[in-house]
Amino acid sequence: GLAALETDPRVIRITSTENLSFPQDDQARVAIGADLVHTGTGVPASVGSGVKIAIADSGVDLTHSDIPVPVEAFDVTTGATAATWSTNVTPVVDHGTHVVGTAVGSGALSGGKFRGIAPGASLCFYKITNNATGAASGTDQIKAITRAQAVGCQVFSMSYGDRASMYMDGSSAVCQAIDAQVAA
């Protein structure tokens, strides 16, 4: 029992795993100093106004009151060009809505507590995932990367990647597309 553990030299500490953890969604903004930028403490005040942010993800809930109306929103999996892409970006999973909220969310539902990093920025959203599994092909990632640069986005966010990539040296087609758009 406990007496044996107390005398065992390999045991350093005994603790409970019954403690509760809570989401820390409001802490990132504080940790990176975004609140200081928002209020202009030591720097010119900014909430991202004039910046165009592109997010390529699993879809976004455009009915959520914290999510701004995007400049454009396309499901790039539905065609070859913007002229053929669907504007239905309904989420497959909620990850895309979470990412959009972190970046540009207004925080309206929480009285500002869960406001995004750049709530004044403009949003361009590109759904890159299929509806069956939520996976994104390299082709669809490249379409989103290329479109974001073409419409003048200064920031691009895509939390998707290939964990099984044979080469981790920047030579993949997606990495090359990113490099080309940054250079442009």
Side-chain angles (χ1 to χ4, degrees), residues 6 14 49 124 177:
E6 285 180 327
I14 299 172
S49 300
C124 293

Side-chain angles (χ1 to χ4, degrees), residues 56-61 89-98 100 125-129 160:
D57 214 294
S58 62
V60 61
D61 179 359
V89 293
T90 302
V92 177
V93 296
D94 292 333
H95 186 264
T97 302
H98 169 76
V100 170
F125 187 85
Y126 308 106
K127 181 178 175 197
I128 57 172
T129 57
Y160 275 73

Side-chain angles (χ1 to χ4, degrees), residues 26-48 112 115-119:
D26 59 331
Q27 297 303 305
R29 201 178 62 250
V30 174
I32 66 169
D35 286 340
L36 300 174
V37 175
H38 291 174
T39 60
T41 305
V43 296
S46 177
V47 292
R115 182 178 66 248
I117 302 300

Side-chain angles (χ1 to χ4, degrees), residues 4-183:
L5 289 174
E6 285 180 327
T7 60
D8 188 327
R10 296 171 298 167
V11 176
I12 296 170
R13 176 176 67 181
I14 299 172
T15 186
S16 171
T17 58
E18 294 301 315
N19 58 315
L20 298 176
S21 297
F22 297 93
Q24 303 293 306
D25 297 341
D26 59 331
Q27 297 303 305
R29 201 178 62 250
V30 174
I32 66 169
D35 286 340
L36 300 174
V37 175
H38 291 174
T39 60
T41 305
V43 296
S46 177
V47 292
S49 300
V51 175
K52 194 184 285 186
I53 296 176
I55 297 176
D57 214 294
S58 62
V60 61
D61 179 359
L62 294 177
T63 67
H64 192 294
S65 62
D66 281 356
I67 305 299
V69 174
V71 171
E72 66 178 21
F74 290 116
D75 179 344
V76 303
T77 71
T78 59
T81 67
T84 60
W85 294 335
S86 168
T87 57
N88 180 358
V89 293
T90 302
V92 177
V93 296
D94 292 333
H95 186 264
T97 302
H98 169 76
V99 172
V100 170
T102 299
V104 297
S106 68
L109 288 177
S110 63
K113 180 177 182 182
F114 297 113
R115 182 178 66 248
I117 302 300
S122 298
L123 171 67
C124 293
F125 187 85
Y126 308 106
K127 181 178 175 197
I128 57 172
T129 57
N130 67 51
N131 288 330
T133 65
S137 74
T139 299
D140 292 328
Q141 292 174 51
I142 291 168
K143 286 188 261 182
I145 293 162
T146 304
R147 178 64 181 186
Q149 192 277 328
V151 298
C153 293
Q154 297 101 326
V155 176
F156 183 83
S157 170
M158 181 174 65
S159 355
Y160 275 73
D162 182 2
R163 292 186 300 253
S165 178
M166 185 179 299
Y167 304 104
M168 299 300 278
D169 62 359
S171 65
S172 75
V174 172
C175 289
Q176 292 298 306
I178 292 168
D179 289 346
Q181 299 315 315
V182 169

